[in-house]
Amino acid sequence: MDSVFVADRCDSLREGGFANFFVSILIVLGIVLSYSTQHYRIISRGSSEGISPYFVLLGVTSANSQFGNILTLPQSRADVACCKEVSPFECTAGLLGIAQIGMQWVCFAIILVLFLVFFRRDDADLSDDECERDPDQPTWRTAVIVAALCLVHGLFVVIISAAFALGAPSYLGAWANFLGIMAAALAAIQYIPQIWTTYHLKHAGSLSILMMCIQTPGGLLFAGSLAARLGWAGWSSWGVYVLTAVMQGILLVMAISYEWPSQEERNQSTPQPQRPPYNRRTTPRVLPSPGPYSAHLQAYGETQEEIERALDRESVQGVGENQPLLAPGGLGSSGVR
């Protein structure tokens, strides 16, 4: 590696201030927090339903490529070499970019593990609509194939990167750019299968809306942080996060529109209270306003026969109270004129 290039990178690390260090720490914490909400969402529901296996496949392989890219970039290798010449604080601040991408790779790998562990469990906390069998839903075989492809791709990146680093270090820069382009291409289509799955299901399922609320603006902040550290020469590292943030924003809008319906739809879905069933005999006796028995039917009878007897008593009392006492047939009349 060019000694002049390394010296310039060391000078850049020495010029880094507390502001950039503070922002980088916030980004690392934001990555952990945002992905933790997704992990909790899957575990709490006991199911990975609603998460597309192809979204997981593209996400993990993109993270593999991105992590390999940041490790093999000349700027990153120079930052690691500068740790022998700068202070521990300056070294830590310079390596936070690698830590950010590494943490994101770890968090997405955990999503892959949870996706397999909680794949279509019988005791999942799902509604009746979500539990309906859909022939288009992925099978366990698909989930296993996705996990195997992610593992093979990760081993491929590690082996090829190690081979270039040990046998042909002059090609590491080209390999880093290739990994960056691969990461960008995978990230560009990563959210397409998830957008289709969410649109098809009409609900977010185990996809965490809170995670997307944090990551959509955080992705732009993350890209800006990497761009400030790597410059235009590191476009293959930070450009992928700009593209990912835009696609994730589209998915976020869709998920919110499905999970939070309008107030009118809420009112229409609220079941209306039903009146107790009456047969032909009792229905004509219902008065315009509740009487002493009909207002509290449960207190005077539980069976239909007891309810009818209570309504009969109310009808007799209602006639006695409304009829004049001395009128013919009245309660105070003897029946003789």
Side-chain angles (χ1 to χ4, degrees), residues 97-319:
I98 300 177
Q100 291 166 0
I101 297 180
M103 183 60 65
Q104 188 171 35
W105 175 79
V106 171
C107 291
F108 219 107
I110 295 176
I111 292 179
L112 172 62
V113 174
L114 294 177
F115 176 77
L116 291 174
V117 172
F118 294 97
F119 186 84
R120 193 174 289 166
R121 286 178 49 175
D122 295 335
D123 58 346
D125 183 16
L126 305 178
S127 64
D128 294 338
D129 293 338
E130 295 176 355
C131 286
E132 292 182 356
R133 191 75 173 183
D134 189 343
D136 296 332
Q137 289 296 308
T139 62
W140 171 248
R141 180 182 178 182
T142 302
V144 173
I145 293 176
V146 164
L149 290 176
C150 292
L151 180 60
V152 171
H153 181 268
L155 292 176
F156 170 78
V157 172
V158 170
I159 293 173
I160 300 300
S161 299
F164 278 129
L166 297 176
S170 59
Y171 291 97
L172 272 178
W175 172 246
N177 288 331
F178 172 77
L179 289 177
I181 294 174
M182 181 188 298
L186 293 172
I189 60 176
Q190 172 186 353
Y191 284 92
I192 295 178
Q194 185 58 58
I195 289 174
W196 167 251
T197 298
T198 303
Y199 173 78
H200 181 69
L201 296 177
K202 296 296 187 293
H203 63 81
S206 295
L207 194 65
S208 173
I209 293 179
L210 182 57
M211 177 194 70
M212 294 185 288
C213 288
I214 299 174
Q215 287 188 356
T216 299
L220 298 176
L221 181 62
F222 189 14
S225 175
L226 287 178
R229 181 178 292 107
L230 302 177
W232 285 104
W235 64 269
S236 59
S237 292
W238 53 261
V240 60
Y241 292 98
V242 176
L243 183 60
T244 301
V246 174
M247 299 291 289
Q248 197 171 47
I250 297 174
L251 181 60
L252 174 61
V253 173
M254 289 180 57
I256 291 178
S257 64
Y258 291 139
E259 293 297 318
W260 277 277
S262 62
Q263 187 64 35
E264 181 180 354
E265 292 175 345
R266 289 176 182 267
N267 295 335
Q268 292 177 355
S269 61
T270 302
Q272 299 296 328
Q274 297 181 355
R275 299 181 62 180
Y278 291 102
N279 59 20
R280 180 176 54 84
R281 179 181 175 186
T282 58
T283 301
R285 294 194 183 98
V286 176
L287 302 177
S289 59
Y293 294 91
S294 59
H296 309 282
L297 285 177
Q298 289 78 5
Y300 295 97
E302 297 180 356
T303 65
Q304 187 69 27
E305 182 179 355
E306 293 173 345
I307 293 176
E308 292 179 0
R309 192 180 301 117
L311 292 174
D312 288 337
R313 291 198 299 268
E314 183 177 287
S315 298
V316 173
Q317 292 180 5
V319 172

